[in-house]
Amino acid sequence: MLKATTVVALAVGFLFMSQCQDGINSEKTAIPNRSVRGYEIIDAAKAALEAACPGVVSCADIIAMATRDAVFLGRGGRYNVQTGRRDGLVSLATNVDLPSPSISVSDSVKAFDRKGLSATDMVYLLGGHTVGIAHCSLFKDRLYNFQGTGNPDPTMDPFLVKKLRSKCPQNATFDNTADLDQNPFSSLIVDNSYYRQILLRRGILQIDQELALDPVTKATVTATASAYDFSTNFGQAMIKLGAVQVLTGTQGEIRKSCRAVNSQPA
């Protein structure tokens, strides 16, 4: 079964990526993508479609539609997905341009703007953190030595610091995980609970917490936390994200396998 907690957490990453291609230096090997899981879901869908109608549906379209279905399965509503994308011929780790978890709001706004997405789109898309997990290594500095101060991040709820320190010991040799949405009743549901949590200073990643504090994004976070239209706004932002750097017409190709480009003629 397609798990919402798998694909929704990957949605922004998958759609910022152009391919699921294997290879030593492919986009899959870039540091921001090394925790991505769920490729077998895309492979299974591609195999079924190739058996029924070979050379018609691209891997890029499969990713977009799988993400939509996962959001729906996670009780996050349903949005329309445009199709007609083609797959790229190149997949390089150096082409990956994903914002890091410790990026500032201003730099994140710039990163999304380069993709043609607004600050409001960014706030809704980061709402994808309503489900999924983060490894301790991505936020451990906030628990022990934030920005070299030797102290935890003062913007994090002290009770959450204590809780996360038990999950993420300072000198641990393992990389544990924590839910991105700290509401235990909502961590598997695509809803606006994430926004309520970061307003309570319970954001796990630095960028999540700063969304609730920065003047550029605070008003949108506050409004979304108490609104009933998150699913609609999230879906619209996902549609915009799915239209970023799309190949159509004679550009690229329709891959036979999502893990490799088609054989090129000699």
Side-chain angles (χ1 to χ4, degrees):
M1 178 180 290
L2 191 65
K3 294 183 179 180
T5 53
T6 297
V7 184
V8 175
L10 308 179
V12 174
F14 258 149
L15 291 176
F16 260 77
M17 294 167 62
S18 66
Q19 304 300 336
C20 303
Q21 183 174 333
D22 288 336
I24 296 174
N25 297 308
S26 73
E27 291 182 16
K28 290 170 71 171
T29 66
I31 292 175
N33 293 330
R34 290 179 186 173
S35 63
V36 173
R37 299 292 183 269
Y39 293 109
E40 70 281 357
I41 297 170
I42 307 304
D43 291 337
K46 182 61 175 174
L49 284 164
E50 284 298 304
C53 46
V56 175
V57 183
S58 69
C59 299
D61 273 354
I62 292 171
I63 290 170
M65 290 185 286
T67 301
R68 173 205 60 194
D69 292 346
V71 171
F72 178 74
L73 290 173
R75 292 159 57 183
R78 192 172 183 87
Y79 55 89
N80 294 324
V81 170
Q82 292 178 308
T83 55
R85 300 170 184 80
R86 289 170 66 85
D87 299 314
L89 300 175
V90 176
S91 178
L92 296 173
T94 52
N95 290 340
V96 173
D97 184 22
L98 285 171
S100 76
S102 60
I103 193 173
S104 68
V105 169
S106 60
D107 284 343
S108 185
V109 168
K110 292 175 185 175
F112 277 79
D113 181 66
R114 288 194 295 270
K115 303 291 185 180
L117 300 165
S118 70
T120 300
D121 294 327
M122 178 190 76
V123 173
Y124 291 140
L125 289 169
L126 286 174
H129 290 170
T130 182
V131 295
I133 59 174
H135 286 273
C136 295
S137 56
L138 295 177
F139 58 85
K140 188 182 285 188
D141 62 313
R142 300 188 66 209
L143 307 179
Y144 298 100
N145 187 27
F146 183 64
Q147 296 182 348
T149 62
N151 297 307
D153 185 344
T155 68
M156 183 181 282
D157 171 25
F159 292 101
L160 181 59
V161 171
K162 183 178 180 180
K163 175 184 175 182
L164 292 177
R165 280 181 170 181
S166 68
K167 281 181 167 284
C168 308
Q170 189 167 15
N171 298 314
T173 57
F174 55 90
D175 199 6
N176 210 341
T177 61
D179 289 335
L180 287 166
D181 181 352
Q182 282 293 297
N183 176 357
F185 301 104
S186 184
S187 60
L188 302 179
I189 300 172
V190 180
D191 61 8
N192 62 348
S193 172
Y194 157 83
Y195 300 96
R196 293 193 290 271
Q197 290 294 303
I198 62 178
L199 286 173
L200 293 171
R201 299 196 298 154
R202 296 176 61 80
I204 299 299
L205 303 179
Q206 185 177 337
I207 181 59
D208 291 342
Q209 190 54 67
E210 290 192 3
L211 281 183
L213 302 173
D214 193 281
V216 173
T217 52
K218 182 177 180 178
T220 303
V221 169
T222 302
T224 305
S226 59
Y228 294 97
D229 59 354
F230 167 68
S231 293
T232 298
N233 291 328
F234 180 71
Q236 290 175 345
M238 287 297 292
I239 292 170
K240 290 183 66 174
L241 178 62
V244 171
Q245 297 174 335
V246 168
L247 301 179
T248 59
T250 59
Q251 299 171 314
E253 65 181 9
I254 304 294
R255 290 189 178 188
K256 298 176 182 177
S257 165
C258 295
R259 292 180 180 265
V261 295
N262 299 336
S263 297
Q264 300 297 313

